[in-house]
Amino acid sequence: MLSYKIKEIIKEALLEDMNNGDITTDNLVDENSRTKAEIKVKEDGVIAGVDIAKEVFKYLDKNISFEKKRADGDKVTKDTVIATLEGSTRAILSAERTALNILQRLSGIATKTSIFVEKVNGYNCRVVDTRKTTPGLRMLEKYAVRVGGGHNHRFNLSDSVMIKDNHIKAAGGIEEAVNIIKAKIPHTIKVEVEVEDLNQLNEALKSGADIIMLDNMECEDMKKAVSINKGRAILEASGNIELDTIERVAQTGVDIISSGGLTHSVKALDISLNIVY
């Protein structure tokens, strides 16, 4: 990840939490006070964001000592200490919530992604995220998906072409939309088309789409789509992909399974910071 972008995110998060200082800590704790603390997980999961949490503390005091006990991608159990830190009490207390918010959210995403990936282990498909991320945190959340063993879809609207249902309506049809877009974009950019049924699939194949998203299709239709496609385009399954359905989707033979649920409705992993002395 880009270090300057991480610092920018941390700065904005700290400003949001303490735009005019920490009125409690600044008036309660002596500026020369030093303390040692530990960061501990309170439930099983996959850790993501340890180094980012470290940078949150160091943003307030570069002299804070931060020792990682676990690294991103590690599977941990309840009560595991993932880091210890020592330094300015004021800086530790003021940075605590911002650091934990990031660490908990990213670890929650990594944990959920790892469970999804494990469900399709052995199938020849990738689990990928979507653009359904928290505004301002997309870089971090997509990183957490990778930590959990998943892959990233396009990062933003500038990355690649995705012709969705409303684009198709605006252009007058799938073939028309693909022809218009291919005449205007560089040859290095792939074109993805969203389809809702097998008739649209055939239209997308005829148009020369590189990737075809099977949107909210039943598994039987996905199997037929794989048979019709014959490897010509990359097939992506999307729409209400959950833990209890993802394996059935993988069994259809699609290449990609995308799920917005990896990021938009994830439960944060329960993690706490406790002062040791």
Side-chain angles (χ1 to χ4, degrees), residues 157-196:
L157 294 173
S158 302
D159 272 355
S160 61
V161 172
M162 181 181 287
I163 302 172
K164 299 176 74 67
D165 55 350
N166 286 327
H167 295 118
I168 292 168
K169 291 175 185 176
I174 290 175
E175 193 165 0
E176 291 85 350
V178 173
N179 287 338
I180 291 169
I181 204 76
K182 282 196 170 185
K184 296 181 178 181
I185 62 171
H187 68 281
T188 54
I189 297 178
K190 291 185 177 181
V191 174
E192 179 166 6
V193 177
E194 177 186 273
V195 303
E196 298 176 350

Side-chain angles (χ1 to χ4, degrees), residues 119-120 123 242-252 257:
K119 271 287 187 178
V120 299
Y123 297 98
E242 296 296 343
L243 192 58
D244 59 346
T245 61
I246 190 170
E247 186 172 7
R248 292 200 301 274
V249 174
Q251 290 169 349
T252 67
I257 301 176

Side-chain angles (χ1 to χ4, degrees), residues 192-203:
E192 179 166 6
V193 177
E194 177 186 273
V195 303
E196 298 176 350
D197 56 44
L198 298 179
N199 288 330
Q200 287 191 331
L201 170 74
N202 282 314
E203 288 183 61

Side-chain angles (χ1 to χ4, degrees), residues 23-230:
I23 194 170
T24 305
T25 301
D26 293 348
N27 288 289
L28 185 65
V29 178
D30 186 274
E31 64 179 354
N32 295 315
S33 174
R34 292 178 60 82
T35 194
K36 182 175 181 179
E38 61 182 20
I39 299 175
K40 180 186 293 187
V41 296
K42 299 170 73 174
E43 59 182 325
D44 298 355
V46 177
I47 295 300
V50 180
D51 289 319
I52 301 166
K54 172 184 175 180
E55 291 306 313
V56 174
F57 291 106
K58 285 189 170 290
Y59 196 95
L60 292 188
D61 181 3
K62 65 180 181 180
N63 294 317
I64 283 180
S65 170
F66 187 103
E67 182 180 356
K68 289 194 299 182
K69 300 294 185 181
R70 293 291 187 272
D72 286 3
D74 285 354
K75 292 184 176 181
V76 295
T77 55
K78 181 181 178 181
D79 293 330
T80 299
V81 174
I82 60 176
T84 59
L85 54 160
E86 187 171 358
S88 165
T89 306
R90 281 190 177 185
I92 290 173
L93 292 178
S94 295
E96 174 185 357
R97 178 42 50 202
T98 297
L100 289 181
N101 281 350
I102 293 172
L103 187 56
Q104 288 178 302
R105 174 116 184 119
L106 300 194
S107 296
I109 291 170
T111 299
K112 185 170 185 176
T113 302
S114 71
I115 296 171
F116 272 52
V117 170
E118 182 61 30
K119 271 287 187 178
V120 299
N121 185 35
Y123 297 98
N124 189 28
C125 64
R126 283 185 171 188
V127 175
V128 307
D129 53 26
T130 70
R131 286 170 38 247
K132 295 177 181 178
T133 55
T134 307
L137 296 181
R138 182 171 294 170
M139 178 194 296
L140 302 188
E141 293 183 349
K142 282 183 170 284
Y143 164 72
V145 168
R146 298 196 302 274
V147 170
H151 293 79
N152 297 146
H153 208 292
R154 60 178 178 165
F155 188 85
N156 58 38
L157 294 173
S158 302
D159 272 355
S160 61
V161 172
M162 181 181 287
I163 302 172
K164 299 176 74 67
D165 55 350
N166 286 327
H167 295 118
I168 292 168
K169 291 175 185 176
I174 290 175
E175 193 165 0
E176 291 85 350
V178 173
N179 287 338
I180 291 169
I181 204 76
K182 282 196 170 185
K184 296 181 178 181
I185 62 171
H187 68 281
T188 54
I189 297 178
K190 291 185 177 181
V191 174
E192 179 166 6
V193 177
E194 177 186 273
V195 303
E196 298 176 350
D197 56 44
L198 298 179
N199 288 330
Q200 287 191 331
L201 170 74
N202 282 314
E203 288 183 61
L205 286 170
K206 183 181 177 182
S207 73
D210 302 294
I211 308 162
I212 300 174
M213 176 189 287
L214 310 177
D215 184 46
N216 283 295
M217 276 194 187
E218 297 293 333
C219 286
E220 284 305 312
D221 282 340
M222 288 188 200
K223 288 180 183 178
K224 292 176 183 177
V226 171
S227 178
I228 293 169
N229 180 53
K230 293 183 172 62

